[in-house]
Amino acid sequence: MLRSLSVKYSPLLTRIRPGGRALSSQPTSSLGCLPTTDSPVVSKLAFFNSVTGDDSKIPSYRVLDGFGIPIEGAEVPEISEQFARRLYENMQLLPTLDNILYNVQRQGKISFYMTSYGEEAAVIGSAAALADDDEVLAQYREVGVLLWRGFSLDRVMAQCFGTHEDSGKGRQMPVHFGSTQHHFHQISSPLATQIPQAAGVGYALRRDPERRSKNVACVFFGEGAASEGDFHAGMLLASTLPSPTLFLARNNGFAISTPSSQQYYGDSLSARGPGYGIDTIRVDGNDVLAVMNAVKEGRRRCLEGGRAVLVEMMTYRVGHHSTSDDSFAYRGRQEVEDRKKIDNPITRFRLFMESRGWWDKTEEEELKSRLKQDVLTSFKRAETLKKPDLAELFSDVYAEEPWNIREQRKELAGLLEKYGQVWEPWQNDLKIFKDEGKKLAD
Amino acid sequence: MLARRLRSKFPALSRRWQTTASTTAIEPPPAGGHSSSVASSQLFRITRESALRTPGISWQDEESDRNIIGGRETRKMNLYQAVRDALSIALSKDDTAVIFGEDIAFGGVFRCTMGLAEEFGRERVFNTPLTEQGIAGFGIGLASMGHTAIAEIQFADYIFPAFDQLVNEAAKFRYRSGGHFSIGGLTVRTPTMAVGHGGLYHSQSPEGFFMGASGLKVVIPRSPIQCKGLLLSAIRDPNPVIFMEPKILYRSAVEQVPIDDFSLPLSRAEILIPGSDLTLLTWGTPVYHCESALRLLNSPPPSLAPLIPPSLRNAKVELIDLRTILPWDVETVVESVRRTKRLVIVHEAGMTGGVGGEIAAEVGKRAFLRLEAPVRRITGWDVPAGLQFEKFNMPDAVRILDGIMETLSY
């Protein structure tokens, strides 16, 4: 019995190629299906390991090549010059803002910052494909979405400097933006927690007669965050319940120092989409027109089907993870310089615009100078502003103030009264707050 | 806002009583356990009159400014039927309300959602895939949009995958956004405490783990009337609430429950039996073991009589049900202890890190000079809930009795 088994299976074993076998090469079954399923019965023992059906990698969708020229067969979207300028201006505003705030952190004026270098097309392109009132749940490298939606530089500065103008009342680290007005849910540091939340936001949209078939919930996350259990949970819920949730993955090659080769073994995040039964696409994340096309179509499918859709944007994190990171500790400078030259999302789009006669060197200089001025003006203004009332340390924990928080607030108020006038460190520390600590006793 | 607009579009059903079907059909032996000591408790309100006079009831119907109980009806319900009744009212009156979790649609493993999917539809009462972190995250997302999200975690023992979402996200949602985003519409229901045969993973009382998650509320009912009123309050409270239902009480606790919409206050403890010599504070299932302990103390059976000094038998012990664990009613507890000068706290959860420690520290601070004995905690031991050993792990009437006597005679 065993001998006959080995004879039967050895030809099979020699036919297995590295990379796994594809199912599409198997003959269609005349043996029927498993009960209550559409799963055809087969007699040949075979494992499968390919999403594309023929061992090839999942393809990446692109419109423009490295020089901004439409590739063969490109589906160039019909956009006006005005729209192209808006895209380009935002793609330049982002690094202009990043340059200044990165240096501001280095000068010790803000505690922390994260840049979006290299990902301008991914973020601005996807923002441009969404409706302004699609609910966005982001991770931390998507301030470009807010800029596209008109979030002011003053509000950016307010949050990063933690001034009394910050809607978040200075409670979180820089880049943890949020804006009800712009349908941008508050950023939180724990990774991937926003993903199942987005499935819930999508369900709320599905249930609301005034927003169903008009809006989607859109969630951004990196390829590292997608390793968290919350990613799996969110995908399951949005695909199964279902809810109209658009999953936008920024695959930028790194999770702090961990390259994607150490983050997953499969064919990137796109391979997971079909695992959840959802429409998926992988796109050149540094091609703003491709990103726009892909996200637009993804959004349309999401609305029509009321179900999760996955768009994976392949890009590259040119900058460090954050101001607490020096990425040259784990990658060569040459690699970064090469990517900045050969695959620069801003350059690629500028060349496209120039080829259309929509841009030139003078406008480039004017734009850069104007944007820099705008950013510097708001930065300088934010520097002068006070932090929120110290009393805000204790508010908003609950909708009302419970006894324990009230007592603790009064306890601190008492301590400030006793020591605040005579203890110099406290005297100095109190001055930065709008109320100088005086509102604690209210 | 959105939620209000939806509610005004679909006016409340005026004859809602027709839709709450009775669920007292013949059933197989209870997986949820049964406790005869609970079933024979005198603390239940088993008449219509006493039920309608439950202290603290706030009627939520259109004529709630008239506190009239004359025409109101009650119906015999156990705890899971009271849960179901509350959920049915919540969904009837609030069109944004949805209920979700594992096995919700067919009625739930403890029957708390029986018939609700049929009554309100599969879009509002639905199963989720098996993922507690997903259930919690999903509920947070729904609630962030102003909807009422009633999530179920099948057993409190399985709430830990959701711990990150609950502590890092739900608890901090309002604070971190400067008050601009909030998730008051989130309620997470979960069966808790020992059931007689649950072992390590169907018996836990995790309320202690959440004490540090400021921003959350934690509520534990002891009876059907309490459950319905507190659950409706929890659902409507503008903060995220974790509502832990002692599972052994699902069938064992039976009362006449007012069928109307009513709420009971959160963060208010209730004095069940007034006293003057010692304060006995507890919540959930141990309420009934405490009641039994007091009976043993006041009229001991012959076998125990030699061990109970006659001088102690007349002690008047004040029994308090804490009801809301976070934020807890420090005023009621401290006022009681300042009178009685002795405090015993009873909970099923283990001693170390249990809620009793927090209460003892706070009471110690406020009543230090009044106390005539150290605050005594009678709890589960610091061990996982071993199956065969449950009877000697969870505090029972005799252990509570012994602790009371020790504290009385300190």
Side-chain angles (χ1 to χ4, degrees):
Chain A
M1 166 74 164
L2 275 170
R3 229 178 114 254
S4 64
L5 270 175
S6 66
V7 165
K8 217 156 98 182
Y9 287 125
S10 57
L12 209 83
L13 289 168
T14 60
R15 269 196 283 155
I16 290 178
R17 299 185 297 275
R21 246 185 88 133
L23 285 174
S24 56
S25 60
Q26 291 186 339
T28 43
S29 171
S30 54
L31 299 172
C33 291
L34 276 188
T36 68
T37 69
D38 293 328
S39 172
V41 168
V42 293
S43 57
K44 295 261 178 280
L45 177 70
F47 284 74
F48 68 95
N49 188 4
S50 167
V51 171
T52 56
D54 63 1
D55 280 343
S56 61
K57 288 276 179 234
I58 294 167
S60 300
Y61 176 73
R62 186 187 254 195
V63 171
L64 302 175
D65 67 12
F67 299 100
I69 297 167
I71 62 175
E72 189 182 320
E75 299 165 339
V76 182
E78 306 242 333
I79 57 173
S80 65
E81 181 181 339
Q82 196 188 28
F83 190 81
R85 279 167 174 266
R86 184 179 169 199
L87 278 174
Y88 188 70
E89 196 170 305
N90 279 284
M91 285 171 73
Q92 282 285 20
L93 176 57
L94 190 42
T96 308
L97 179 65
D98 284 348
N99 286 343
I100 287 169
L101 283 178
Y102 189 90
N103 286 310
V104 160
Q105 191 277 342
R106 283 291 178 253
Q107 294 165 23
K109 295 179 180 176
I110 61 176
S111 58
F112 176 82
Y113 192 69
M114 300 179 94
T115 60
S116 303
Y117 298 135
E119 302 184 45
E120 296 85 358
V123 171
I124 302 295
S126 30
L130 299 173
D132 279 344
D133 57 350
D134 283 338
E135 301 293 324
V136 169
L137 290 87
Q139 179 164 301
Y140 51 47
R141 223 183 282 279
E142 297 88 4
V143 69
V145 174
L146 276 172
L147 296 177
W148 176 265
R149 289 183 170 186
F151 191 71
S152 71
L153 289 172
D154 281 343
R155 283 190 69 178
V156 172
M157 296 298 165
Q159 198 286 325
C160 290
F161 280 82
T163 70
H164 68 87
E165 287 184 355
D166 175 27
S167 62
K169 298 183 184 170
R171 288 158 179 166
Q172 293 210 83
M173 291 165 70
V175 311
H176 289 62
F177 304 105
S179 174
T180 51
Q181 183 196 345
H182 298 95
H183 299 270
F184 190 92
H185 291 232
Q186 200 84 28
I187 305 280
S188 70
S189 308
L191 291 180
T193 49
Q194 72 275 17
I195 304 178
Q197 291 176 23
V201 170
Y203 204 84
L205 293 172
R206 165 183 160 169
R207 291 224 63 236
D208 183 350
E210 283 172 30
R211 296 189 73 180
R212 142 192 333 152
S213 354
K214 287 212 190 93
N215 290 121
V216 297
C218 177
V219 60
F220 286 89
F221 49 91
E223 85 284 353
S227 295
E228 283 281 359
D230 269 343
F231 167 83
H232 174 62
M235 293 285 269
L236 272 181
L237 289 162
S239 60
T240 312
L241 294 178
S243 80
T245 313
L246 185 57
F247 291 75
L248 299 185
R250 281 183 303 98
N251 189 329
N252 67 9
F254 292 94
I256 307 188
S257 71
T258 307
S260 47
S261 58
Q262 291 174 17
Q263 195 64 248
Y264 50 73
Y265 185 64
D267 186 3
S268 77
L269 308 185
S270 306
R272 301 180 196 175
Y276 297 100
I278 63 172
D279 287 350
T280 306
I281 190 169
R282 192 180 192 184
V283 61
D284 176 353
N286 286 356
D287 176 348
V288 71
L289 295 182
V291 169
M292 240 178 58
N293 279 357
V295 173
K296 203 161 170 200
E297 172 64 10
R299 179 185 185 277
R300 190 195 64 75
R301 288 171 181 242
C302 187
L303 264 180
E304 194 179 276
R307 195 180 301 274
V309 171
L310 173 62
V311 178
E312 183 178 22
M313 304 180 287
M314 308 304 291
T315 176
Y316 185 83
R317 196 197 74 205
V318 165
H320 308 300
H321 165 70
S322 72
T323 48
S324 309
D325 177 49
D326 171 17
S327 63
F328 300 127
Y330 49 84
R331 62 179 178 180
R333 283 174 203 269
Q334 197 55 48
E335 175 190 323
V336 181
E337 290 309 310
D338 286 348
R339 286 304 291 257
K340 278 162 84 170
K341 281 199 203 85
I342 64 169
D343 185 22
N344 188 314
I346 296 174
T347 308
R348 287 166 72 181
F349 191 58
R350 185 179 66 247
L351 291 171
F352 168 79
M353 296 214 342
E354 285 173 358
S355 75
R356 288 274 177 107
W358 290 346
W359 201 251
D360 61 36
K361 222 165 136 198
T362 323
E363 300 204 76
E364 177 81 3
E365 278 165 24
E366 275 173 7
L367 177 69
K368 283 195 164 146
S369 155
R370 172 166 61 82
L371 293 179
K372 189 169 175 192
Q373 207 43 56
D374 289 345
V375 176
L376 281 173
T377 306
S378 5
F379 150 64
K380 287 191 184 129
R381 180 177 168 274
E383 259 197 305
T384 67
L385 296 175
K386 297 254 179 204
K387 308 304 178 196
D389 290 342
L390 181 56
E392 302 284 18
L393 162 60
F394 290 103
S395 60
D396 302 322
V397 179
Y398 291 89
E400 68 287 346
E401 187 181 48
W403 65 267
N404 50 322
I405 295 180
R406 181 179 61 247
E407 286 185 9
Q408 290 166 15
R409 174 170 58 79
K410 292 192 191 268
E411 186 179 331
L412 182 59
L415 286 166
L416 289 184
E417 207 186 281
K418 185 172 171 187
Y419 297 100
Q421 299 305 312
V422 302
W423 181 238
E424 209 185 306
W426 280 18
Q427 275 180 304
N428 295 334
D429 289 336
L430 283 172
K431 288 206 180 81
I432 66 171
F433 301 106
K434 196 148 159 258
D435 68 348
E436 296 192 2
K438 297 194 182 80
K439 284 209 178 141
L440 272 174
D442 288 352
Chain B
M1 236 203 71
L2 159 76
R4 258 184 267 124
R5 265 189 282 135
L6 268 180
R7 265 174 246 146
S8 65
K9 267 199 180 142
F10 303 88
L13 294 169
S14 55
R15 295 196 301 170
R16 193 201 54 76
W17 58 267
Q18 278 189 343
T19 64
T20 50
S22 171
T23 54
T24 47
I26 306 290
E27 292 140 5
H34 180 79
S35 164
S36 49
S37 66
V38 168
S40 60
S41 167
Q42 304 294 304
L43 293 172
F44 294 126
R45 294 172 180 267
I46 58 175
T47 68
R48 175 182 166 275
E49 289 71 33
S50 62
L52 291 173
R53 282 171 175 66
T54 297
I57 275 197
S58 169
W59 304 104
Q60 298 298 310
D61 43 39
E62 290 82 27
E63 300 148 8
S64 62
D65 53 322
R66 297 157 67 214
N67 208 1
I68 295 202
I69 59 176
R72 296 188 188 274
E73 277 183 45
T74 64
R75 189 163 62 239
K76 185 171 164 189
M77 292 186 206
N78 61 25
L79 202 115
Y80 75 69
Q81 290 165 335
V83 170
R84 192 223 174 271
D85 199 41
L87 295 177
S88 173
I89 291 172
L91 262 62
S92 297
K93 291 207 172 166
D94 174 0
D95 288 300
T96 75
V98 295
I99 304 172
F100 52 93
E102 293 152 26
D103 303 296
I104 292 298
F106 90 105
V109 293
F110 290 110
R111 300 177 171 266
C112 295
T113 50
M114 288 281 284
L116 292 178
E118 287 85 344
E119 190 177 340
F120 295 98
R122 289 282 179 135
E123 203 188 68
R124 297 184 69 191
V125 181
F126 53 92
N127 292 339
T128 62
L130 215 167
T131 165
E132 285 76 16
Q133 67 192 106
I135 289 166
F138 180 84
I140 290 168
L142 259 175
S144 76
M145 297 291 283
H147 291 221
T148 298
I150 307 170
E152 178 181 294
I153 300 291
Q154 197 160 81
F155 284 86
D157 312 61
Y158 312 141
I159 205 166
F160 303 108
F163 202 65
D164 185 38
Q165 286 285 352
L166 291 170
V167 173
N168 266 336
E169 301 284 313
K172 299 171 173 57
F173 215 82
R174 186 187 291 274
Y175 188 79
R176 74 191 191 192
S177 67
H180 290 270
F181 288 91
S182 61
I183 51 163
L186 178 67
T187 304
V188 178
R189 292 179 39 249
T190 186
T192 186
M193 297 195 192
V195 71
H197 54 269
L200 272 62
Y201 301 110
H202 299 80
S203 313
Q204 291 179 62
S205 297
E207 68 270 14
F209 290 103
F210 293 98
M211 293 304 275
S214 205
L216 290 181
K217 293 195 175 181
V218 178
V219 178
I220 303 182
R222 69 170 185 275
S223 80
I225 293 175
Q226 293 295 312
C227 181
K228 178 174 171 178
L230 291 171
L231 180 54
L232 283 168
S233 284
I235 289 169
R236 293 160 176 166
D237 190 275
N239 300 284
V241 180
I242 303 178
F243 193 81
M244 298 183 168
E245 300 156 3
K247 62 181 84 70
I248 199 170
L249 301 180
Y250 278 140
R251 289 168 185 275
S252 310
V254 182
E255 287 184 302
Q256 287 291 327
V257 179
I259 63 167
D260 292 328
D261 185 349
F262 68 91
S263 64
L264 289 167
L266 300 189
S267 290
R268 297 298 220 88
E270 186 181 348
I271 299 178
L272 303 183
I273 300 173
S276 51
D277 300 316
L278 181 145
T279 301
L280 183 58
L281 173 66
T282 187
W283 50 91
T285 312
V287 165
Y288 304 100
H289 302 306
C290 285
E291 184 197 6
S292 302
L294 296 187
R295 232 182 271 138
L296 290 176
L297 177 67
N298 293 142
S299 36
S303 50
L304 290 180
L307 297 167
I308 303 173
S311 58
L312 298 182
R313 294 183 201 175
N314 293 325
K316 290 194 178 47
V317 174
E318 182 151 286
L319 177 61
I320 302 182
D321 175 11
L322 192 60
R323 302 200 293 185
T324 298
I325 315 307
L326 180 74
W328 59 282
D329 184 356
V330 66
E331 259 183 52
T332 299
V333 174
V334 169
E335 189 281 327
S336 171
V337 177
R338 287 168 78 84
R339 271 186 291 111
T340 66
K341 309 184 198 313
R342 296 164 202 268
L343 174 62
V344 174
I345 306 170
V346 181
H347 59 67
E348 277 196 13
M351 175 76 75
T352 302
V355 174
E358 176 63 37
I359 295 175
E362 198 60 36
V363 168
K365 176 179 114 177
R366 289 160 197 264
F368 181 67
L369 294 174
R370 298 278 195 124
L371 285 168
E372 289 181 357
V375 175
R376 178 69 196 273
R377 296 172 292 163
I378 301 171
T379 70
W381 310 117
D382 281 340
V383 300
L387 179 63
Q388 299 300 330
F389 314 113
E390 187 175 302
K391 289 218 167 77
F392 286 97
N393 192 359
M394 305 306 163
D396 70 356
V398 170
R399 204 149 51 103
I400 297 168
L401 165 70
D402 193 70
I404 292 173
M405 291 197 295
E406 248 193 51
T407 307
L408 281 171
S409 41
Y410 185 79

